[in-house]
Coordinates of all heavy atoms in Angstrom, one line a residue:
R1 N 0.8 -1.2 0.0 CA 0.0 0.0 0.0 C 0.9 1.2 0.0 O 1.9 1.3 0.6 CB -0.9 0.0 1.2 CG -2.0 -1.0 1.2 CD -3.0 -0.7 2.3 NE -4.1 -1.5 2.0 CZ -5.3 -1.0 1.6 NH1 -5.5 0.3 1.4 NH2 -6.3 -1.8 1.3
V2 N 0.3 2.3 -0.6 CA 1.0 3.6 -0.6 C 0.1 4.5 0.2 O -1.1 4.5 0.1 CB 1.1 4.1 -2.1 CG1 1.7 5.5 -2.1 CG2 2.0 3.1 -2.9
A3 N 0.8 5.3 1.0 CA 0.0 6.3 1.8 C -0.7 7.3 0.9 O -0.2 7.7 -0.2 CB 1.0 7.1 2.7
A4 N -1.9 7.8 1.4 CA -2.7 8.7 0.6 C -1.9 10.0 0.4 O -2.2 10.7 -0.6 CB -4.0 9.0 1.4
D5 N -1.0 10.4 1.2 CA -0.3 11.6 1.0 C 1.1 11.4 0.5 O 2.0 12.3 0.6 CB -0.2 12.4 2.4 CG 0.5 11.6 3.4 OD1 0.8 10.4 3.2 OD2 0.9 12.2 4.5
A6 N 1.3 10.3 -0.2 CA 2.6 9.9 -0.7 C 3.0 10.9 -1.9 O 2.1 11.3 -2.6 CB 2.7 8.5 -1.2
E7 N 4.2 11.2 -2.0 CA 4.7 12.0 -3.1 C 4.6 11.2 -4.4 O 4.7 10.0 -4.5 CB 6.2 12.4 -2.9 CG 6.3 13.4 -1.8 CD 5.7 14.8 -2.1 OE1 5.8 15.2 -3.3 OE2 5.0 15.3 -1.2
P8 N 4.4 11.9 -5.6 CA 4.2 11.2 -6.9 C 5.4 10.3 -7.2 O 5.1 9.2 -7.7 CB 4.1 12.4 -7.8 CG 3.5 13.5 -7.1 CD 4.1 13.4 -5.7
A9 N 6.6 10.7 -7.0 CA 7.7 9.8 -7.3 C 7.6 8.5 -6.5 O 7.9 7.4 -7.0 CB 9.1 10.5 -7.0
S10 N 7.2 8.5 -5.3 CA 7.1 7.3 -4.4 C 5.9 6.4 -5.0 O 6.1 5.2 -5.0 CB 6.8 7.7 -3.0 OG 7.8 8.4 -2.4
V11 N 4.9 7.1 -5.4 CA 3.7 6.3 -6.0 C 4.2 5.6 -7.2 O 3.9 4.4 -7.4 CB 2.5 7.2 -6.3 CG1 1.5 6.5 -7.0 CG2 2.0 7.9 -5.0
L12 N 5.0 6.2 -8.1 CA 5.4 5.6 -9.3 C 6.4 4.4 -9.0 O 6.4 3.4 -9.6 CB 6.1 6.6 -10.2 CG 5.2 7.6 -10.8 CD1 5.9 8.5 -11.8 CD2 3.9 7.0 -11.5
H13 N 7.3 4.6 -8.0 CA 8.2 3.6 -7.6 C 7.4 2.4 -7.1 O 7.7 1.2 -7.5 CB 9.1 4.1 -6.5 CG 10.1 3.1 -6.0 ND1 11.2 2.8 -6.8 CD2 10.1 2.4 -4.9 CE1 11.9 1.8 -6.1 NE2 11.3 1.6 -5.0
H14 N 6.4 2.6 -6.3 CA 5.6 1.5 -5.8 C 4.8 0.8 -6.9 O 4.8 -0.4 -7.0 CB 4.6 2.0 -4.7 CG 3.8 0.9 -4.1 ND1 4.2 0.0 -3.2 CD2 2.5 0.6 -4.4 CE1 3.2 -0.8 -2.9 NE2 2.2 -0.5 -3.6
A15 N 4.2 1.6 -7.8 CA 3.5 1.0 -9.0 C 4.4 0.2 -9.9 O 4.0 -0.8 -10.4 CB 2.8 2.2 -9.7
N16 N 5.6 0.7 -10.1 CA 6.6 0.0 -10.9 C 6.9 -1.4 -10.3 O 6.8 -2.4 -11.1 CB 7.9 0.8 -11.0 CG 8.9 0.1 -12.0 OD1 8.6 -0.1 -13.1 ND2 10.1 -0.2 -11.5
A17 N 7.1 -1.5 -9.0 CA 7.4 -2.8 -8.4 C 6.2 -3.7 -8.5 O 6.3 -4.9 -8.9 CB 7.7 -2.6 -6.9
R18 N 5.0 -3.2 -8.3 CA 3.8 -4.0 -8.4 C 3.5 -4.5 -9.8 O 3.2 -5.7 -10.1 CB 2.5 -3.2 -7.9 CG 2.5 -2.9 -6.4 CD 2.3 -4.2 -5.6 NE 1.1 -4.8 -6.1 CZ 0.0 -5.1 -5.3 NH1 0.0 -4.7 -4.1 NH2 -1.0 -5.7 -5.8
L19 N 3.6 -3.6 -10.8 CA 3.3 -4.0 -12.2 C 4.4 -4.9 -12.7 O 4.1 -5.7 -13.6 CB 3.2 -2.7 -13.0 CG 2.0 -1.9 -12.8 CD1 2.1 -0.5 -13.5 CD2 0.7 -2.6 -13.3
R20 N 5.6 -4.8 -12.3 CA 6.6 -5.8 -12.7 C 6.2 -7.2 -12.4 O 6.5 -8.1 -13.1 CB 8.0 -5.5 -12.1 CG 8.6 -4.2 -12.5 CD 9.7 -4.3 -13.6 NE 10.6 -5.4 -13.4 CZ 11.1 -6.1 -14.5 NH1 10.8 -5.7 -15.7 NH2 12.0 -7.0 -14.3
D21 N 5.5 -7.4 -11.3 CA 5.1 -8.7 -10.8 C 3.8 -9.1 -11.6 O 3.5 -10.3 -11.7 CB 4.8 -8.7 -9.3 CG 6.1 -8.6 -8.5 OD1 7.2 -8.8 -9.0 OD2 6.0 -8.1 -7.4
M22 N 3.0 -8.2 -12.0 CA 1.7 -8.5 -12.6 C 1.7 -8.6 -14.1 O 0.9 -9.4 -14.6 CB 0.7 -7.3 -12.2 CG 0.4 -7.2 -10.7 SD -0.5 -5.8 -10.3 CE -2.0 -6.0 -11.3
L23 N 2.5 -7.8 -14.8 CA 2.4 -7.8 -16.3 C 3.3 -8.8 -16.9 O 4.4 -9.1 -16.4 CB 2.8 -6.4 -16.8 CG 1.9 -5.2 -16.5 CD1 2.4 -3.9 -17.0 CD2 0.5 -5.5 -17.0
P24 N 2.9 -9.4 -18.1 CA 3.7 -10.3 -18.8 C 5.0 -9.5 -19.2 O 5.0 -8.3 -19.5 CB 2.9 -10.7 -20.0 CG 1.5 -10.4 -19.6 CD 1.6 -9.2 -18.7
R25 N 6.1 -10.3 -19.3 CA 7.4 -9.7 -19.8 C 7.2 -9.0 -21.1 O 6.5 -9.5 -22.0 CB 8.4 -10.8 -19.9 CG 9.8 -10.3 -20.2 CD 10.8 -11.4 -20.2 NE 12.1 -10.9 -20.5 CZ 13.1 -10.9 -19.6 NH1 12.9 -11.5 -18.5 NH2 14.2 -10.5 -19.9
G26 N 7.7 -7.8 -21.2 CA 7.6 -7.0 -22.4 C 6.5 -6.0 -22.5 O 6.4 -5.2 -23.4
Q27 N 5.6 -6.1 -21.5 CA 4.5 -5.1 -21.4 C 4.8 -4.1 -20.4 O 5.5 -4.4 -19.4 CB 3.2 -5.8 -21.1 CG 2.6 -6.7 -22.2 CD 1.2 -7.2 -21.9 OE1 0.7 -6.9 -20.8 NE2 0.7 -7.9 -22.8
F28 N 4.4 -2.9 -20.6 CA 4.7 -1.8 -19.7 C 3.6 -0.8 -19.7 O 2.7 -0.8 -20.6 CB 6.0 -1.1 -20.0 CG 6.1 -0.6 -21.4 CD1 5.7 0.6 -21.8 CD2 6.7 -1.5 -22.4 CE1 5.8 1.1 -23.1 CE2 6.7 -1.0 -23.7 CZ 6.3 0.3 -24.0
V29 N 3.6 0.2 -18.8 CA 2.6 1.2 -18.7 C 3.3 2.6 -18.7 O 4.3 2.8 -18.0 CB 1.8 1.1 -17.4 CG1 0.8 2.2 -17.2 CG2 1.1 -0.3 -17.4
T30 N 2.8 3.6 -19.5 CA 3.2 4.9 -19.4 C 2.2 5.7 -18.6 O 1.0 5.4 -18.6 CB 3.4 5.6 -20.8 OG1 2.2 5.7 -21.4 CG2 4.4 4.8 -21.6
L31 N 2.7 6.7 -17.8 CA 1.8 7.4 -16.9 C 2.4 8.8 -16.5 O 3.6 8.9 -16.4 CB 1.7 6.5 -15.6 CG 1.0 7.1 -14.4 CD1 -0.5 7.1 -14.7 CD2 1.3 6.4 -13.2
L32 N 1.5 9.7 -16.4 CA 1.9 11.0 -15.9 C 1.1 11.2 -14.6 O -0.1 11.1 -14.6 CB 1.6 12.2 -16.9 CG 1.7 13.6 -16.3 CD1 3.2 13.9 -16.1 CD2 1.1 14.6 -17.3
Y33 N 1.8 11.4 -13.5 CA 1.1 11.6 -12.2 C 1.2 13.0 -11.8 O 2.3 13.6 -11.7 CB 1.8 10.7 -11.2 CG 1.1 10.6 -9.8 CD1 0.4 9.5 -9.5 CD2 1.2 11.6 -8.9 CE1 -0.2 9.4 -8.2 CE2 0.6 11.6 -7.7 CZ -0.2 10.4 -7.4 OH -0.8 10.4 -6.1
A34 N 0.1 13.6 -11.5 CA 0.0 15.0 -11.1 C -0.7 15.2 -9.8 O -1.7 14.6 -9.6 CB -0.7 15.9 -12.2
L35 N -0.1 15.9 -8.9 CA -0.7 16.1 -7.6 C -0.8 17.6 -7.4 O 0.2 18.4 -7.3 CB 0.2 15.6 -6.5 CG -0.2 15.7 -5.0 CD1 -1.6 15.0 -4.8 CD2 0.8 15.2 -4.1
A36 N -2.1 18.1 -7.3 CA -2.4 19.5 -7.2 C -2.7 19.8 -5.7 O -3.6 19.2 -5.1 CB -3.5 19.9 -8.1
D37 N -2.0 20.8 -5.2 CA -2.3 21.3 -3.8 C -3.0 22.7 -4.0 O -2.3 23.7 -4.2 CB -1.0 21.4 -3.0 CG -1.3 21.8 -1.6 OD1 -2.3 22.5 -1.3 OD2 -0.5 21.4 -0.7
M38 N -4.3 22.7 -4.0 CA -5.0 23.9 -4.2 C -4.7 25.0 -3.1 O -4.7 26.2 -3.4 CB -6.5 23.6 -4.3 CG -6.8 22.7 -5.4 SD -6.1 23.2 -7.0 CE -7.4 22.8 -8.1
E39 N -4.6 24.6 -1.9 CA -4.3 25.5 -0.8 C -2.9 26.2 -1.0 O -2.8 27.4 -0.8 CB -4.4 24.8 0.5 CG -5.8 24.5 0.9 CD -5.8 23.8 2.3 OE1 -4.9 23.9 3.1 OE2 -6.9 23.2 2.6
A40 N -1.9 25.4 -1.3 CA -0.6 26.0 -1.5 C -0.4 26.5 -2.9 O 0.6 27.3 -3.1 CB 0.5 24.9 -1.2
G41 N -1.2 26.2 -3.8 CA -1.1 26.7 -5.2 C 0.1 26.0 -5.9 O 0.7 26.6 -6.8
T42 N 0.3 24.7 -5.7 CA 1.4 24.0 -6.3 C 0.9 22.8 -7.1 O -0.2 22.3 -6.8 CB 2.4 23.5 -5.2 OG1 1.8 22.6 -4.3 CG2 3.0 24.7 -4.5
L43 N 1.7 22.4 -8.1 CA 1.5 21.2 -8.9 C 2.8 20.4 -8.9 O 3.8 20.9 -9.3 CB 1.1 21.6 -10.3 CG 0.8 20.5 -11.2 CD1 -0.5 19.7 -10.8 CD2 0.5 21.0 -12.7
T44 N 2.7 19.2 -8.4 CA 3.9 18.3 -8.4 C 3.6 17.2 -9.5 O 2.6 16.6 -9.5 CB 4.1 17.7 -7.1 OG1 4.2 18.7 -6.1 CG2 5.3 16.8 -7.0
L45 N 4.6 17.0 -10.4 CA 4.5 16.1 -11.5 C 5.6 15.0 -11.4 O 6.7 15.3 -11.0 CB 4.6 16.8 -12.8 CG 3.6 17.9 -13.1 CD1 4.1 18.6 -14.4 CD2 2.3 17.3 -13.3
A46 N 5.2 13.8 -11.8 CA 6.2 12.7 -12.0 C 5.8 11.9 -13.2 O 4.6 11.7 -13.4 CB 6.3 11.8 -10.7
G47 N 6.7 11.6 -14.0 CA 6.4 10.9 -15.3 C 7.1 9.5 -15.3 O 8.1 9.3 -14.8
A48 N 6.4 8.6 -16.0 CA 6.8 7.2 -16.2 C 6.7 6.9 -17.7 O 5.7 6.3 -18.1 CB 6.1 6.2 -15.3
G49 N 7.5 7.5 -18.5 CA 7.5 7.2 -19.9 C 6.5 8.0 -20.7 O 6.4 7.9 -22.0
A50 N 5.7 8.8 -20.1 CA 4.6 9.6 -20.8 C 5.2 10.9 -21.3 O 6.2 11.4 -20.8 CB 3.5 9.8 -19.9
L51 N 4.6 11.4 -22.3 CA 5.0 12.7 -22.8 C 4.7 13.8 -21.8 O 3.6 13.7 -21.1 CB 4.3 13.0 -24.1 CG 4.6 12.1 -25.3 CD1 3.7 12.5 -26.5 CD2 6.1 12.3 -25.7
P52 N 5.5 14.8 -21.6 CA 5.2 15.8 -20.6 C 4.0 16.7 -21.1 O 3.8 16.8 -22.2 CB 6.5 16.6 -20.6 CG 7.1 16.4 -21.9 CD 6.7 15.0 -22.4
P53 N 3.3 17.2 -20.1 CA 2.2 18.1 -20.4 C 2.6 19.5 -20.8 O 3.7 19.9 -20.5 CB 1.4 18.1 -19.1 CG 2.5 18.1 -18.0 CD 3.5 17.1 -18.6
F54 N 1.7 20.2 -21.4 CA 1.9 21.6 -21.6 C 1.2 22.3 -20.5 O 0.0 22.1 -20.2 CB 1.2 22.1 -23.0 CG 1.9 21.6 -24.2 CD1 1.6 20.4 -24.8 CD2 2.9 22.4 -24.7 CE1 2.3 19.9 -25.9 CE2 3.6 21.9 -25.9 CZ 3.3 20.7 -26.5
L55 N 1.9 23.1 -19.7 CA 1.3 23.8 -18.6 C 1.1 25.3 -19.0 O 2.0 25.9 -19.6 CB 2.3 23.8 -17.4 CG 2.6 22.4 -16.9 CD1 3.6 22.4 -15.8 CD2 1.4 21.6 -16.5
V56 N -0.1 25.8 -18.7 CA -0.4 27.2 -19.1 C -0.7 27.9 -17.8 O -1.5 27.6 -17.0 CB -1.7 27.2 -20.0 CG1 -2.0 28.6 -20.4 CG2 -1.5 26.3 -21.2
S57 N 0.1 29.0 -17.6 CA 0.0 29.8 -16.4 C -1.3 30.7 -16.5 O -1.9 30.8 -17.6 CB 1.2 30.7 -16.2 OG 1.2 31.8 -17.2
P58 N -1.7 31.3 -15.4 CA -2.9 32.2 -15.5 C -2.7 33.4 -16.4 O -3.6 33.9 -17.0 CB -3.0 32.7 -14.0 CG -2.4 31.6 -13.2 CD -1.3 31.1 -14.0
E59 N -1.4 33.7 -16.7 CA -1.1 34.8 -17.6 C -1.0 34.3 -19.1 O -0.9 35.1 -20.0 CB 0.3 35.5 -17.2 CG 0.3 36.1 -15.9 CD 0.4 35.1 -14.7 OE1 1.0 34.0 -14.9 OE2 -0.1 35.4 -13.6
G60 N -1.1 33.0 -19.3 CA -1.1 32.5 -20.6 C 0.2 32.0 -21.1 O 0.4 31.5 -22.2
A61 N 1.3 32.0 -20.2 CA 2.6 31.5 -20.6 C 2.5 30.0 -20.6 O 2.0 29.4 -19.7 CB 3.6 32.0 -19.6
V62 N 3.1 29.4 -21.6 CA 3.1 27.9 -21.8 C 4.5 27.4 -21.5 O 5.5 28.0 -21.9 CB 2.7 27.5 -23.2 CG1 2.8 26.0 -23.4 CG2 1.4 28.1 -23.6
S63 N 4.6 26.3 -20.7 CA 5.9 25.7 -20.4 C 5.7 24.2 -20.5 O 4.5 23.7 -20.4 CB 6.4 26.1 -19.0 OG 5.5 25.6 -18.0
V64 N 6.8 23.5 -20.7 CA 6.8 22.0 -20.8 C 7.8 21.5 -19.9 O 9.0 21.7 -20.1 CB 7.0 21.5 -22.3 CG1 7.0 20.0 -22.3 CG2 6.0 22.1 -23.2
P65 N 7.4 21.0 -18.7 CA 8.4 20.5 -17.8 C 9.2 19.3 -18.3 O 8.7 18.5 -19.0 CB 7.6 20.1 -16.5 CG 6.3 19.8 -17.1 CD 6.1 20.7 -18.3
A66 N 10.5 19.3 -17.9 CA 11.3 18.1 -18.3 C 11.1 17.0 -17.3 O 11.5 17.2 -16.1 CB 12.8 18.5 -18.3
L67 N 10.4 16.0 -17.7 CA 10.1 14.8 -16.8 C 10.9 13.6 -17.3 O 11.0 13.4 -18.5 CB 8.7 14.5 -16.8 CG 7.7 15.6 -16.2 CD1 6.3 15.2 -16.4 CD2 8.1 15.9 -14.8
R68 N 11.5 12.9 -16.4 CA 12.2 11.7 -16.7 C 11.7 10.5 -15.9 O 11.3 10.7 -14.8 CB 13.7 11.8 -16.4 CG 14.3 12.9 -17.3 CD 15.8 13.0 -16.9 NE 16.3 14.2 -17.7 CZ 17.4 14.1 -18.3 NH1 18.2 13.1 -18.3 NH2 17.8 15.2 -19.0
G69 N 11.7 9.4 -16.5 CA 11.2 8.2 -15.8 C 10.9 7.1 -16.8 O 10.2 7.4 -17.8
M70 N 11.4 6.0 -16.6 CA 11.0 4.9 -17.6 C 9.6 4.4 -17.4 O 9.0 4.6 -16.3 CB 11.9 3.7 -17.2 CG 13.4 3.9 -17.5 SD 14.4 2.4 -17.2 CE 13.9 1.4 -18.6
P71 N 9.0 3.8 -18.4 CA 7.7 3.3 -18.3 C 7.6 2.3 -17.1 O 8.6 1.6 -16.8 CB 7.4 2.6 -19.6 CG 8.3 3.3 -20.6 CD 9.5 3.7 -19.8
L72 N 6.4 2.3 -16.5 CA 6.3 1.3 -15.4 C 6.4 -0.1 -15.9 O 5.9 -0.4 -16.9 CB 4.9 1.6 -14.7 CG 4.7 2.9 -14.1 CD1 3.3 3.1 -13.6 CD2 5.7 3.2 -13.0
A73 N 7.0 -0.9 -15.1 CA 7.3 -2.4 -15.4 C 8.4 -2.6 -16.4 O 8.6 -3.8 -16.8 CB 6.0 -3.1 -15.8
A74 N 9.0 -1.6 -16.9 CA 10.1 -1.7 -17.9 C 11.4 -2.2 -17.3 O 12.2 -2.9 -17.9 CB 10.3 -0.5 -18.7
S75 N 11.6 -1.8 -16.0 CA 12.9 -2.1 -15.4 C 12.7 -2.1 -13.9 O 12.1 -1.2 -13.3 CB 14.0 -1.1 -15.7 OG 15.1 -1.3 -14.9
P76 N 13.3 -3.1 -13.2 CA 13.2 -3.1 -11.7 C 14.1 -2.0 -11.1 O 14.0 -1.7 -9.9 CB 13.7 -4.5 -11.3 CG 14.6 -4.9 -12.5 CD 14.0 -4.3 -13.7
H77 N 15.0 -1.4 -11.9 CA 15.9 -0.4 -11.4 C 15.5 1.0 -11.8 O 16.3 2.0 -11.6 CB 17.3 -0.7 -11.9 CG 17.8 -2.1 -11.6 ND1 18.0 -2.5 -10.3 CD2 18.0 -3.1 -12.4 CE1 18.4 -3.8 -10.4 NE2 18.3 -4.2 -11.6
A78 N 14.3 1.2 -12.3 CA 13.8 2.5 -12.8 C 13.7 3.5 -11.6 O 13.4 3.1 -10.5 CB 12.4 2.4 -13.4
E79 N 14.1 4.7 -11.8 CA 14.0 5.7 -10.8 C 13.1 6.8 -11.3 O 13.0 7.1 -12.5 CB 15.4 6.3 -10.5 CG 16.3 5.3 -9.9 CD 17.7 5.9 -9.5 OE1 17.7 7.1 -9.3 OE2 18.6 5.1 -9.2
Y80 N 12.4 7.4 -10.4 CA 11.4 8.4 -10.7 C 11.6 9.6 -9.8 O 12.0 9.5 -8.6 CB 10.0 7.9 -10.5 CG 9.7 6.6 -11.3 CD1 9.9 5.4 -10.7 CD2 9.4 6.7 -12.6 CE1 9.7 4.2 -11.5 CE2 9.2 5.6 -13.4 CZ 9.4 4.3 -12.8 OH 9.2 3.2 -13.6
A81 N 11.4 10.8 -10.4 CA 11.6 12.1 -9.7 C 10.5 13.0 -10.0 O 9.8 12.9 -11.0 CB 12.9 12.7 -10.1
A82 N 10.1 13.8 -9.0 CA 9.0 14.7 -9.1 C 9.6 16.1 -9.4 O 10.7 16.5 -9.0 CB 8.2 14.7 -7.9
R83 N 8.8 17.0 -10.0 CA 9.1 18.4 -10.3 C 7.9 19.2 -9.9 O 6.8 18.8 -10.0 CB 9.3 18.6 -11.8 CG 10.5 18.0 -12.4 CD 10.7 18.4 -13.8 NE 10.8 19.9 -13.8 CZ 12.0 20.5 -14.0 NH1 13.1 19.8 -14.1 NH2 12.1 21.8 -14.0

């Protein structure tokens, strides 16, 4: 189990381990995990092989965060980081 308040990178790490045991060899999952904290006004992202999102600020500026992370179940040694 993963705690309800777990950081996105921890969730992906846990999901990777679980999916490695569940999926047939050669199958994998791509995923973008986003955690919005409306009170703090923050957005935390972690990626697992998915294309990064286009983020649009209230002023209309567009940015594309650099996210790294292998697809889930692709490797037991995959590392995930949040931005």
Side-chain angles (χ1 to χ4, degrees):
R1 289 192 168 251
V2 176
D5 61 349
E7 289 296 317
S10 296
V11 173
L12 294 185
H13 179 76
H14 180 78
N16 185 57
R18 292 289 306 240
L19 288 170
R20 292 261 319 144
D21 294 337
M22 295 171 58
L23 294 177
R25 186 179 181 111
Q27 289 188 359
F28 56 87
V29 174
T30 62
L31 175 75
L32 173 67
Y33 188 105
L35 179 63
D37 184 333
M38 300 308 219
E39 289 181 17
T42 61
L43 180 66
T44 305
L45 302 170
L51 294 173
F54 289 91
L55 302 177
V56 182
S57 74
E59 296 78 29
V62 178
S63 64
V64 181
L67 298 175
R68 296 180 186 224
M70 294 182 72
L72 299 174
S75 170
H77 308 292
E79 293 186 19
Y80 303 97
R83 296 186 56 103

